[in-house]
mmCIF file of all heavy atoms in Angstrom:
data_model
loop_
_atom_site.group_PDB
_atom_site.id
_atom_site.type_symbol
_atom_site.label_atom_id
_atom_site.label_comp_id
_atom_site.label_asym_id
_atom_site.label_seq_id
_atom_site.Cartn_x
_atom_site.Cartn_y
_atom_site.Cartn_z
ATOM 1 N N MET A 1 10.001 6.506 -11.480
ATOM 2 C CA MET A 1 9.953 5.227 -10.802
ATOM 3 C C MET A 1 8.673 5.151 -9.973
ATOM 4 O O MET A 1 8.377 6.038 -9.181
ATOM 5 C CB MET A 1 11.180 5.085 -9.901
ATOM 6 C CG MET A 1 11.237 3.758 -9.186
ATOM 7 S SD MET A 1 12.770 3.517 -8.285
ATOM 8 C CE MET A 1 12.235 3.895 -6.651
ATOM 9 N N ALA A 2 7.924 4.104 -10.133
ATOM 10 C CA ALA A 2 6.680 3.920 -9.386
ATOM 11 C C ALA A 2 6.964 3.231 -8.052
ATOM 12 O O ALA A 2 7.892 2.428 -7.929
ATOM 13 C CB ALA A 2 5.714 3.087 -10.200
ATOM 14 N N ARG A 3 6.162 3.566 -7.072
ATOM 15 C CA ARG A 3 6.309 2.929 -5.768
ATOM 16 C C ARG A 3 5.675 1.543 -5.800
ATOM 17 O O ARG A 3 4.706 1.309 -6.502
ATOM 18 C CB ARG A 3 5.610 3.749 -4.695
ATOM 19 C CG ARG A 3 6.211 5.106 -4.492
ATOM 20 C CD ARG A 3 5.423 5.840 -3.433
ATOM 21 N NE ARG A 3 5.842 7.206 -3.320
ATOM 22 C CZ ARG A 3 6.724 7.626 -2.416
ATOM 23 N NH1 ARG A 3 7.236 6.789 -1.570
ATOM 24 N NH2 ARG A 3 7.071 8.887 -2.376
ATOM 25 N N LYS A 4 6.218 0.641 -5.004
ATOM 26 C CA LYS A 4 5.628 -0.680 -4.893
ATOM 27 C C LYS A 4 4.396 -0.589 -4.006
ATOM 28 O O LYS A 4 4.418 0.073 -2.979
ATOM 29 C CB LYS A 4 6.617 -1.674 -4.296
ATOM 30 C CG LYS A 4 7.763 -2.000 -5.213
ATOM 31 C CD LYS A 4 8.642 -3.057 -4.613
ATOM 32 C CE LYS A 4 9.792 -3.395 -5.535
ATOM 33 N NZ LYS A 4 10.649 -4.430 -4.952
ATOM 34 N N ALA A 5 3.326 -1.244 -4.420
ATOM 35 C CA ALA A 5 2.078 -1.234 -3.665
ATOM 36 C C ALA A 5 1.832 -2.631 -3.105
ATOM 37 O O ALA A 5 2.204 -3.632 -3.720
ATOM 38 C CB ALA A 5 0.928 -0.817 -4.557
ATOM 39 N N PHE A 6 1.193 -2.686 -1.918
ATOM 40 C CA PHE A 6 0.931 -3.952 -1.243
ATOM 41 C C PHE A 6 -0.522 -3.988 -0.790
ATOM 42 O O PHE A 6 -1.123 -2.951 -0.509
ATOM 43 C CB PHE A 6 1.850 -4.100 -0.020
ATOM 44 C CG PHE A 6 3.315 -4.075 -0.375
ATOM 45 C CD1 PHE A 6 4.019 -2.883 -0.386
ATOM 46 C CD2 PHE A 6 3.983 -5.232 -0.703
ATOM 47 C CE1 PHE A 6 5.356 -2.843 -0.714
ATOM 48 C CE2 PHE A 6 5.328 -5.209 -1.037
ATOM 49 C CZ PHE A 6 6.017 -4.010 -1.040
ATOM 50 N N ASP A 7 -1.080 -5.210 -0.694
ATOM 51 C CA ASP A 7 -2.456 -5.350 -0.222
ATOM 52 C C ASP A 7 -2.482 -5.443 1.299
ATOM 53 O O ASP A 7 -1.482 -5.169 1.958
ATOM 54 C CB ASP A 7 -3.138 -6.546 -0.884
ATOM 55 C CG ASP A 7 -2.511 -7.880 -0.521
ATOM 56 O OD1 ASP A 7 -1.561 -7.913 0.268
ATOM 57 O OD2 ASP A 7 -2.995 -8.904 -1.037
ATOM 58 N N THR A 8 -3.622 -5.833 1.871
ATOM 59 C CA THR A 8 -3.772 -5.843 3.332
ATOM 60 C C THR A 8 -2.889 -6.887 4.010
ATOM 61 O O THR A 8 -2.588 -6.748 5.187
ATOM 62 C CB THR A 8 -5.231 -6.106 3.720
ATOM 63 O OG1 THR A 8 -5.674 -7.296 3.094
ATOM 64 C CG2 THR A 8 -6.111 -4.956 3.301
ATOM 65 N N TRP A 9 -2.472 -7.923 3.279
ATOM 66 C CA TRP A 9 -1.604 -8.950 3.849
ATOM 67 C C TRP A 9 -0.145 -8.717 3.483
ATOM 68 O O TRP A 9 0.683 -9.613 3.608
ATOM 69 C CB TRP A 9 -2.048 -10.331 3.391
ATOM 70 C CG TRP A 9 -3.393 -10.685 3.916
ATOM 71 C CD1 TRP A 9 -3.705 -11.081 5.176
ATOM 72 C CD2 TRP A 9 -4.620 -10.632 3.206
ATOM 73 N NE1 TRP A 9 -5.055 -11.289 5.274
ATOM 74 C CE2 TRP A 9 -5.646 -11.019 4.083
ATOM 75 C CE3 TRP A 9 -4.962 -10.294 1.906
ATOM 76 C CZ2 TRP A 9 -6.974 -11.079 3.709
ATOM 77 C CZ3 TRP A 9 -6.291 -10.357 1.538
ATOM 78 C CH2 TRP A 9 -7.270 -10.747 2.439
ATOM 79 N N LYS A 10 0.168 -7.522 2.992
ATOM 80 C CA LYS A 10 1.518 -7.092 2.614
ATOM 81 C C LYS A 10 2.108 -7.940 1.495
ATOM 82 O O LYS A 10 3.291 -8.209 1.457
ATOM 83 C CB LYS A 10 2.445 -7.061 3.833
ATOM 84 C CG LYS A 10 1.981 -6.053 4.863
ATOM 85 C CD LYS A 10 2.901 -6.004 6.057
ATOM 86 C CE LYS A 10 2.347 -5.029 7.082
ATOM 87 N NZ LYS A 10 3.133 -5.020 8.288
ATOM 88 N N ILE A 11 1.230 -8.363 0.558
ATOM 89 C CA ILE A 11 1.655 -9.059 -0.651
ATOM 90 C C ILE A 11 1.665 -8.029 -1.771
ATOM 91 O O ILE A 11 0.716 -7.269 -1.937
ATOM 92 C CB ILE A 11 0.691 -10.211 -0.989
ATOM 93 C CG1 ILE A 11 0.697 -11.241 0.142
ATOM 94 C CG2 ILE A 11 1.074 -10.864 -2.313
ATOM 95 C CD1 ILE A 11 -0.353 -12.315 0.002
ATOM 96 N N GLU A 12 2.761 -7.998 -2.529
ATOM 97 C CA GLU A 12 2.918 -6.972 -3.561
ATOM 98 C C GLU A 12 1.835 -7.083 -4.631
ATOM 99 O O GLU A 12 1.520 -8.169 -5.109
ATOM 100 C CB GLU A 12 4.298 -7.089 -4.209
ATOM 101 C CG GLU A 12 4.590 -5.970 -5.163
ATOM 102 C CD GLU A 12 5.998 -6.021 -5.718
ATOM 103 O OE1 GLU A 12 6.773 -6.895 -5.313
ATOM 104 O OE2 GLU A 12 6.307 -5.166 -6.558
ATOM 105 N N VAL A 13 1.267 -5.953 -5.000
ATOM 106 C CA VAL A 13 0.247 -5.900 -6.042
ATOM 107 C C VAL A 13 0.961 -5.896 -7.393
ATOM 108 O O VAL A 13 1.803 -5.040 -7.655
ATOM 109 C CB VAL A 13 -0.634 -4.642 -5.893
ATOM 110 C CG1 VAL A 13 -1.610 -4.525 -7.040
ATOM 111 C CG2 VAL A 13 -1.358 -4.654 -4.567
ATOM 112 N N THR A 14 0.630 -6.870 -8.234
ATOM 113 C CA THR A 14 1.234 -6.987 -9.561
ATOM 114 C C THR A 14 0.122 -7.096 -10.591
ATOM 115 O O THR A 14 -1.049 -6.923 -10.276
ATOM 116 C CB THR A 14 2.138 -8.233 -9.636
ATOM 117 O OG1 THR A 14 1.331 -9.392 -9.424
ATOM 118 C CG2 THR A 14 3.258 -8.186 -8.616
ATOM 119 N N GLY A 15 0.472 -7.408 -11.808
ATOM 120 C CA GLY A 15 -0.516 -7.592 -12.859
ATOM 121 C C GLY A 15 -1.363 -8.831 -12.666
ATOM 122 O O GLY A 15 -2.442 -8.953 -13.227
ATOM 123 N N PHE A 16 -0.880 -9.776 -11.863
ATOM 124 C CA PHE A 16 -1.608 -11.018 -11.650
ATOM 125 C C PHE A 16 -2.585 -10.942 -10.491
ATOM 126 O O PHE A 16 -3.557 -11.677 -10.444
ATOM 127 C CB PHE A 16 -0.631 -12.175 -11.411
ATOM 128 C CG PHE A 16 0.235 -12.447 -12.607
ATOM 129 C CD1 PHE A 16 1.586 -12.139 -12.589
ATOM 130 C CD2 PHE A 16 -0.300 -12.994 -13.747
ATOM 131 C CE1 PHE A 16 2.379 -12.378 -13.688
ATOM 132 C CE2 PHE A 16 0.492 -13.233 -14.862
ATOM 133 C CZ PHE A 16 1.832 -12.926 -14.830
ATOM 134 N N ASN A 17 -2.325 -10.120 -9.514
ATOM 135 C CA ASN A 17 -3.233 -9.984 -8.367
ATOM 136 C C ASN A 17 -3.586 -8.504 -8.188
ATOM 137 O O ASN A 17 -3.030 -7.808 -7.366
ATOM 138 C CB ASN A 17 -2.619 -10.568 -7.084
ATOM 139 C CG ASN A 17 -1.357 -9.871 -6.660
ATOM 140 O OD1 ASN A 17 -0.747 -9.170 -7.438
ATOM 141 N ND2 ASN A 17 -0.973 -10.057 -5.423
ATOM 142 N N ARG A 18 -4.528 -8.056 -8.954
ATOM 143 C CA ARG A 18 -4.942 -6.650 -8.917
ATOM 144 C C ARG A 18 -5.941 -6.450 -7.787
ATOM 145 O O ARG A 18 -7.076 -6.884 -7.866
ATOM 146 C CB ARG A 18 -5.559 -6.246 -10.237
ATOM 147 C CG ARG A 18 -4.559 -6.302 -11.361
ATOM 148 C CD ARG A 18 -5.180 -5.822 -12.640
ATOM 149 N NE ARG A 18 -4.202 -5.967 -13.718
ATOM 150 C CZ ARG A 18 -4.504 -6.350 -14.923
ATOM 151 N NH1 ARG A 18 -5.752 -6.625 -15.233
ATOM 152 N NH2 ARG A 18 -3.588 -6.445 -15.834
ATOM 153 N N THR A 19 -5.503 -5.814 -6.747
ATOM 154 C CA THR A 19 -6.364 -5.483 -5.614
ATOM 155 C C THR A 19 -6.165 -4.016 -5.269
ATOM 156 O O THR A 19 -5.300 -3.342 -5.824
ATOM 157 C CB THR A 19 -6.046 -6.342 -4.374
ATOM 158 O OG1 THR A 19 -4.701 -6.107 -3.984
ATOM 159 C CG2 THR A 19 -6.250 -7.817 -4.654
ATOM 160 N N VAL A 20 -6.925 -3.533 -4.331
ATOM 161 C CA VAL A 20 -6.797 -2.154 -3.879
ATOM 162 C C VAL A 20 -5.552 -2.050 -2.994
ATOM 163 O O VAL A 20 -5.405 -2.819 -2.045
ATOM 164 C CB VAL A 20 -8.044 -1.728 -3.084
ATOM 165 C CG1 VAL A 20 -7.894 -0.329 -2.535
ATOM 166 C CG2 VAL A 20 -9.278 -1.847 -3.944
ATOM 167 N N PRO A 21 -4.624 -1.140 -3.293
ATOM 168 C CA PRO A 21 -3.434 -1.006 -2.462
ATOM 169 C C PRO A 21 -3.773 -0.504 -1.062
ATOM 170 O O PRO A 21 -4.570 0.418 -0.902
ATOM 171 C CB PRO A 21 -2.555 -0.005 -3.195
ATOM 172 C CG PRO A 21 -3.287 0.428 -4.385
ATOM 173 C CD PRO A 21 -4.583 -0.265 -4.449
ATOM 174 N N TYR A 22 -3.182 -1.134 -0.055
ATOM 175 C CA TYR A 22 -3.395 -0.750 1.335
ATOM 176 C C TYR A 22 -2.115 -0.183 1.937
ATOM 177 O O TYR A 22 -2.167 0.604 2.857
ATOM 178 C CB TYR A 22 -3.852 -1.981 2.116
ATOM 179 C CG TYR A 22 -4.390 -1.682 3.484
ATOM 180 C CD1 TYR A 22 -5.641 -1.106 3.639
ATOM 181 C CD2 TYR A 22 -3.656 -1.971 4.616
ATOM 182 C CE1 TYR A 22 -6.136 -0.820 4.905
ATOM 183 C CE2 TYR A 22 -4.137 -1.691 5.874
ATOM 184 C CZ TYR A 22 -5.381 -1.121 6.019
ATOM 185 O OH TYR A 22 -5.868 -0.835 7.268
ATOM 186 N N TYR A 23 -0.977 -0.591 1.390
ATOM 187 C CA TYR A 23 0.336 -0.082 1.804
ATOM 188 C C TYR A 23 1.107 0.322 0.548
ATOM 189 O O TYR A 23 0.914 -0.274 -0.506
ATOM 190 C CB TYR A 23 1.161 -1.159 2.509
ATOM 191 C CG TYR A 23 0.624 -1.620 3.836
ATOM 192 C CD1 TYR A 23 -0.105 -2.796 3.936
ATOM 193 C CD2 TYR A 23 0.874 -0.905 4.993
ATOM 194 C CE1 TYR A 23 -0.582 -3.242 5.154
ATOM 195 C CE2 TYR A 23 0.402 -1.343 6.219
ATOM 196 C CZ TYR A 23 -0.325 -2.510 6.299
ATOM 197 O OH TYR A 23 -0.804 -2.946 7.497
ATOM 198 N N VAL A 24 1.984 1.308 0.670
ATOM 199 C CA VAL A 24 2.943 1.642 -0.381
ATOM 200 C C VAL A 24 4.311 1.790 0.268
ATOM 201 O O VAL A 24 4.422 2.096 1.449
ATOM 202 C CB VAL A 24 2.585 2.941 -1.143
ATOM 203 C CG1 VAL A 24 1.337 2.761 -1.969
ATOM 204 C CG2 VAL A 24 2.468 4.111 -0.235
ATOM 205 N N GLN A 25 5.337 1.571 -0.527
ATOM 206 C CA GLN A 25 6.695 1.692 -0.017
ATOM 207 C C GLN A 25 7.060 3.167 0.107
ATOM 208 O O GLN A 25 6.937 3.932 -0.845
ATOM 209 C CB GLN A 25 7.674 0.977 -0.930
ATOM 210 C CG GLN A 25 9.047 0.835 -0.338
ATOM 211 C CD GLN A 25 9.928 -0.060 -1.184
ATOM 212 O OE1 GLN A 25 9.618 -0.323 -2.338
ATOM 213 N NE2 GLN A 25 11.003 -0.522 -0.625
ATOM 214 N N CYS A 26 7.491 3.588 1.290
ATOM 215 C CA CYS A 26 7.819 4.979 1.576
ATOM 216 C C CYS A 26 9.269 5.269 1.204
ATOM 217 O O CYS A 26 10.069 4.353 0.999
ATOM 218 C CB CYS A 26 7.576 5.239 3.061
ATOM 219 S SG CYS A 26 7.762 6.952 3.542
ATOM 220 N N ASN A 27 9.628 6.541 1.135
ATOM 221 C CA ASN A 27 11.009 6.934 0.833
ATOM 222 C C ASN A 27 11.980 6.488 1.909
ATOM 223 O O ASN A 27 13.152 6.258 1.634
ATOM 224 C CB ASN A 27 11.101 8.448 0.657
ATOM 225 C CG ASN A 27 10.394 8.920 -0.577
ATOM 226 O OD1 ASN A 27 10.170 8.159 -1.502
ATOM 227 N ND2 ASN A 27 10.018 10.179 -0.586
ATOM 228 N N CYS A 28 11.513 6.357 3.149
ATOM 229 C CA CYS A 28 12.393 5.974 4.256
ATOM 230 C C CYS A 28 12.625 4.460 4.316
ATOM 231 O O CYS A 28 13.411 3.996 5.125
ATOM 232 C CB CYS A 28 11.819 6.468 5.581
ATOM 233 S SG CYS A 28 10.256 5.705 6.051
ATOM 234 N N GLY A 29 11.918 3.679 3.479
ATOM 235 C CA GLY A 29 12.111 2.235 3.449
ATOM 236 C C GLY A 29 11.018 1.459 4.166
ATOM 237 O O GLY A 29 10.920 0.255 4.009
ATOM 238 N N LYS A 30 10.196 2.137 4.950
ATOM 239 C CA LYS A 30 9.095 1.478 5.645
ATOM 240 C C LYS A 30 7.866 1.456 4.745
ATOM 241 O O LYS A 30 7.879 1.996 3.647
ATOM 242 C CB LYS A 30 8.777 2.207 6.944
ATOM 243 C CG LYS A 30 9.901 2.191 7.939
ATOM 244 C CD LYS A 30 9.510 2.896 9.203
ATOM 245 C CE LYS A 30 10.662 2.890 10.187
ATOM 246 N NZ LYS A 30 10.312 3.603 11.419
ATOM 247 N N LEU A 31 6.793 0.836 5.225
ATOM 248 C CA LEU A 31 5.543 0.811 4.468
ATOM 249 C C LEU A 31 4.603 1.877 5.008
ATOM 250 O O LEU A 31 4.340 1.936 6.205
ATOM 251 C CB LEU A 31 4.874 -0.560 4.574
ATOM 252 C CG LEU A 31 5.612 -1.714 3.913
ATOM 253 C CD1 LEU A 31 4.843 -3.011 4.119
ATOM 254 C CD2 LEU A 31 5.816 -1.454 2.444
ATOM 255 N N ALA A 32 4.116 2.736 4.121
ATOM 256 C CA ALA A 32 3.154 3.763 4.504
ATOM 257 C C ALA A 32 1.758 3.171 4.380
ATOM 258 O O ALA A 32 1.406 2.588 3.359
ATOM 259 C CB ALA A 32 3.296 4.980 3.597
ATOM 260 N N GLN A 33 0.950 3.301 5.434
ATOM 261 C CA GLN A 33 -0.378 2.711 5.479
ATOM 262 C C GLN A 33 -1.423 3.714 5.000
ATOM 263 O O GLN A 33 -1.335 4.904 5.290
ATOM 264 C CB GLN A 33 -0.712 2.261 6.898
ATOM 265 C CG GLN A 33 -2.017 1.534 7.019
ATOM 266 C CD GLN A 33 -2.247 1.018 8.437
ATOM 267 O OE1 GLN A 33 -1.484 1.309 9.340
ATOM 268 N NE2 GLN A 33 -3.284 0.253 8.605
ATOM 269 N N LYS A 34 -2.429 3.219 4.285
ATOM 270 C CA LYS A 34 -3.510 4.076 3.815
ATOM 271 C C LYS A 34 -4.369 4.483 5.000
ATOM 272 O O LYS A 34 -4.716 3.675 5.840
ATOM 273 C CB LYS A 34 -4.361 3.344 2.783
ATOM 274 C CG LYS A 34 -5.427 4.198 2.171
ATOM 275 C CD LYS A 34 -6.143 3.460 1.065
ATOM 276 C CE LYS A 34 -7.172 4.376 0.456
ATOM 277 N NZ LYS A 34 -7.872 3.718 -0.647
ATOM 278 N N LYS A 35 -4.695 5.766 5.067
ATOM 279 C CA LYS A 35 -5.549 6.263 6.144
ATOM 280 C C LYS A 35 -6.980 5.821 5.898
ATOM 281 O O LYS A 35 -7.435 5.766 4.765
ATOM 282 C CB LYS A 35 -5.475 7.784 6.234
ATOM 283 C CG LYS A 35 -4.100 8.299 6.601
ATOM 284 C CD LYS A 35 -3.560 7.714 7.878
ATOM 285 C CE LYS A 35 -4.270 8.248 9.069
ATOM 286 N NZ LYS A 35 -3.799 7.733 10.338
ATOM 287 N N TYR A 36 -7.717 5.526 6.950
ATOM 288 C CA TYR A 36 -9.074 5.009 6.867
ATOM 289 C C TYR A 36 -9.996 5.999 6.161
ATOM 290 O O TYR A 36 -10.077 7.163 6.560
ATOM 291 C CB TYR A 36 -9.596 4.714 8.274
ATOM 292 C CG TYR A 36 -10.986 4.155 8.307
ATOM 293 C CD1 TYR A 36 -11.255 2.870 7.819
ATOM 294 C CD2 TYR A 36 -12.036 4.890 8.797
ATOM 295 C CE1 TYR A 36 -12.510 2.354 7.846
ATOM 296 C CE2 TYR A 36 -13.314 4.387 8.834
ATOM 297 C CZ TYR A 36 -13.550 3.101 8.345
ATOM 298 O OH TYR A 36 -14.818 2.602 8.370
ATOM 299 N N GLN A 37 -10.648 5.558 5.111
ATOM 300 C CA GLN A 37 -11.578 6.334 4.289
ATOM 301 C C GLN A 37 -10.954 7.619 3.740
ATOM 302 O O GLN A 37 -11.646 8.622 3.553
ATOM 303 C CB GLN A 37 -12.852 6.652 5.060
ATOM 304 C CG GLN A 37 -13.663 5.437 5.407
ATOM 305 C CD GLN A 37 -14.967 5.787 6.079
ATOM 306 O OE1 GLN A 37 -15.138 6.896 6.569
ATOM 307 N NE2 GLN A 37 -15.882 4.860 6.113
ATOM 308 N N GLN A 38 -9.679 7.623 3.475
ATOM 309 C CA GLN A 38 -8.997 8.771 2.874
ATOM 310 C C GLN A 38 -8.279 8.297 1.613
ATOM 311 O O GLN A 38 -8.159 7.108 1.356
ATOM 312 C CB GLN A 38 -7.987 9.382 3.838
ATOM 313 C CG GLN A 38 -8.593 9.890 5.134
ATOM 314 C CD GLN A 38 -9.505 11.068 4.912
ATOM 315 O OE1 GLN A 38 -9.288 11.897 4.045
ATOM 316 N NE2 GLN A 38 -10.563 11.133 5.691
ATOM 317 N N SER A 39 -7.762 9.218 0.845
ATOM 318 C CA SER A 39 -7.089 8.854 -0.401
ATOM 319 C C SER A 39 -5.584 9.123 -0.326
ATOM 320 O O SER A 39 -4.962 9.349 -1.356
ATOM 321 C CB SER A 39 -7.701 9.634 -1.564
ATOM 322 O OG SER A 39 -7.528 11.018 -1.339
ATOM 323 N N TYR A 40 -5.024 9.107 0.869
ATOM 324 C CA TYR A 40 -3.589 9.320 0.996
ATOM 325 C C TYR A 40 -2.995 8.303 1.972
ATOM 326 O O TYR A 40 -3.703 7.636 2.716
ATOM 327 C CB TYR A 40 -3.263 10.742 1.458
ATOM 328 C CG TYR A 40 -3.800 11.105 2.839
ATOM 329 C CD1 TYR A 40 -3.017 10.890 3.966
ATOM 330 C CD2 TYR A 40 -5.053 11.669 3.010
ATOM 331 C CE1 TYR A 40 -3.499 11.212 5.227
ATOM 332 C CE2 TYR A 40 -5.538 11.998 4.244
ATOM 333 C CZ TYR A 40 -4.746 11.760 5.361
ATOM 334 O OH TYR A 40 -5.213 12.077 6.607
ATOM 335 N N PHE A 41 -1.669 8.171 1.927
ATOM 336 C CA PHE A 41 -0.939 7.222 2.763
ATOM 337 C C PHE A 41 -0.098 8.000 3.768
ATOM 338 O O PHE A 41 0.422 9.067 3.462
ATOM 339 C CB PHE A 41 -0.029 6.349 1.894
ATOM 340 C CG PHE A 41 -0.797 5.454 0.961
ATOM 341 C CD1 PHE A 41 -1.181 5.895 -0.288
ATOM 342 C CD2 PHE A 41 -1.115 4.175 1.343
ATOM 343 C CE1 PHE A 41 -1.884 5.080 -1.148
ATOM 344 C CE2 PHE A 41 -1.828 3.340 0.501
ATOM 345 C CZ PHE A 41 -2.198 3.789 -0.754
ATOM 346 N N GLU A 42 0.047 7.467 4.969
ATOM 347 C CA GLU A 42 0.818 8.132 6.013
ATOM 348 C C GLU A 42 1.900 7.178 6.504
ATOM 349 O O GLU A 42 1.616 6.049 6.864
ATOM 350 C CB GLU A 42 -0.097 8.534 7.167
ATOM 351 C CG GLU A 42 0.593 9.377 8.216
ATOM 352 C CD GLU A 42 -0.398 9.873 9.235
ATOM 353 O OE1 GLU A 42 -1.191 10.776 8.904
ATOM 354 O OE2 GLU A 42 -0.386 9.328 10.354
ATOM 355 N N CYS A 43 3.122 7.661 6.522
ATOM 356 C CA CYS A 43 4.269 6.863 6.936
ATOM 357 C C CYS A 43 4.391 6.826 8.449
ATOM 358 O O CYS A 43 4.154 7.765 9.128
ATOM 359 C CB CYS A 43 5.538 7.419 6.340
ATOM 360 S SG CYS A 43 6.985 6.399 6.635
#
């Protein structure tokens, strides 16, 4: 199962709006934010 990805305005990234993910859905139910200039997300 893939995690849902969201852009900077917390709009879900789909096939129609391909942007760089800024948030991903975490296991705890919150949104994990991408760390500045890093390649990982922190909840």
Side-chain angles (χ1 to χ4, degrees):
M1 182 173 101
R3 296 179 188 264
K4 291 184 180 180
F6 300 91
D7 64 2
T8 54
W9 295 284
K10 297 181 183 176
I11 298 172
E12 187 175 357
V13 175
T14 62
F16 296 109
N17 62 343
R18 295 183 183 141
T19 61
V20 177
Y22 193 74
Y23 293 99
V24 292
Q25 191 171 16
C26 186
N27 292 339
C28 65
K30 297 181 181 179
L31 293 179
Q33 185 176 6
K34 185 174 182 179
K35 296 305 288 180
Y36 181 68
Q37 295 184 343
Q38 300 293 326
S39 61
Y40 63 91
F41 294 88
E42 187 173 287
C43 187

